């Protein structure tokens, strides 16, 4: 991945972790404002981020922000976990859009013809087999399929992709 794209990915992921940090701080302070709009916005931009919000220790969030800051400035390469996360978020955004376009009927033709923005920016192409798997995921679960798809593209394992979202 070229340096400019890595810096953009780092900046985008930093926004996610800043939002998680802010939501945690508001919750800890007993803020009476309804967090659901902010949670929906976070989940729309970074599908699967709510799990991190719930599970990651604050020390991990702060460490990841520091790593992402260095990568966004160009002082360090984008860490592997961040590359994997960027790809997973991209695939999930596309998958959720495809499912919305296809509707409850899982209309493959409609989804394919709607000009969906496939995640080319992360070096992943979507073909008809991918779209079929998105609309009717093997085993009925989309996230494990995305982990397998990203793992294949990056030459790693689904477990390694999943671990990119967990505390080290």
């Amino acid at each position: 991945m070229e340096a400019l794209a890595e810096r953009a990915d780092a900046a985008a992921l930093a926004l996610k972790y800043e939002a998680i940090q802010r939501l945690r701080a508001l919750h800890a302070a007993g803020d009476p404002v309804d967090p659901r709009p902010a949670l929906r916005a976070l989940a729309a931009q970074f599908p699967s981020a709510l799990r991190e919000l719930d599970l990651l220790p604050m020390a991990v969030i702060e460490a990841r922000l520091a790593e992402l800051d260095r990568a966004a400035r160009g002082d360090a390469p984008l860490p592997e976990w961040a590359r994997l996360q960027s790809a997973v978020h991209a695939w999930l955004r596309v998958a959720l859009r495809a499912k919305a376009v296809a509707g409850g009927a899982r209309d493959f033709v409609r989804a394919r013809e709607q000009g969906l923005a496939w995640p080319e920016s992360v070096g992943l192409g979507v073909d008809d087999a991918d779209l079929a798997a998105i609309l009717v995921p093997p085993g009925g679960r989309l996230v494990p399929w995305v982990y397998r798809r990203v793992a294949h593209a990056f030459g790693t394992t689904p477990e390694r992709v999943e671990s990119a979202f967990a505390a080290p």
Side-chain angles (χ1 to χ4, degrees):
M1 186 182 299
E2 70 179 63
L4 197 55
E6 282 190 358
R7 291 171 80 171
D9 282 349
L13 287 173
L15 291 174
K16 173 181 79 167
Y17 284 108
E18 288 165 357
I20 288 172
Q21 196 176 44
R22 188 172 42 259
L23 285 163
R24 285 266 190 86
L26 291 172
H27 179 72
D31 190 305
V33 175
D34 183 3
R36 288 178 291 189
L39 293 171
R40 279 193 293 275
L42 179 63
Q45 188 173 5
F46 301 102
S48 80
L50 298 182
R51 186 168 186 254
E52 290 178 281
L53 172 73
D54 289 341
L55 299 178
L56 285 184
M58 190 58 80
V60 172
I61 293 166
E62 291 167 357
R64 287 186 175 178
L65 274 168
E67 283 186 85
L68 292 167
D69 181 55
R70 287 189 296 277
R73 288 192 322 261
D75 295 340
L78 190 64
E80 178 190 42
W81 63 263
R83 290 173 196 235
L84 295 172
Q85 281 193 13
S86 290
V88 167
H89 290 314
W91 273 101
L92 285 172
R93 279 191 300 272
V94 167
L96 295 173
R97 181 164 177 225
K99 285 180 163 292
V101 167
R106 298 182 177 154
D107 187 337
F108 175 85
V109 173
R110 183 172 31 169
R112 185 172 27 128
E113 292 176 352
Q114 290 296 313
L116 296 172
W118 304 124
E120 302 295 339
S121 63
V122 292
L124 305 174
V126 177
D127 59 23
D128 285 352
D130 292 326
L131 184 55
I134 286 168
L135 296 178
V136 184
R141 303 213 38 226
L142 181 62
V143 172
W145 178 84
V146 169
Y147 288 165
R148 287 190 304 275
R149 185 63 178 87
V150 170
H152 175 75
F154 282 82
T156 189
T157 65
E159 294 78 18
R160 184 128 177 132
V161 174
E162 183 176 11
S163 74
F165 291 91

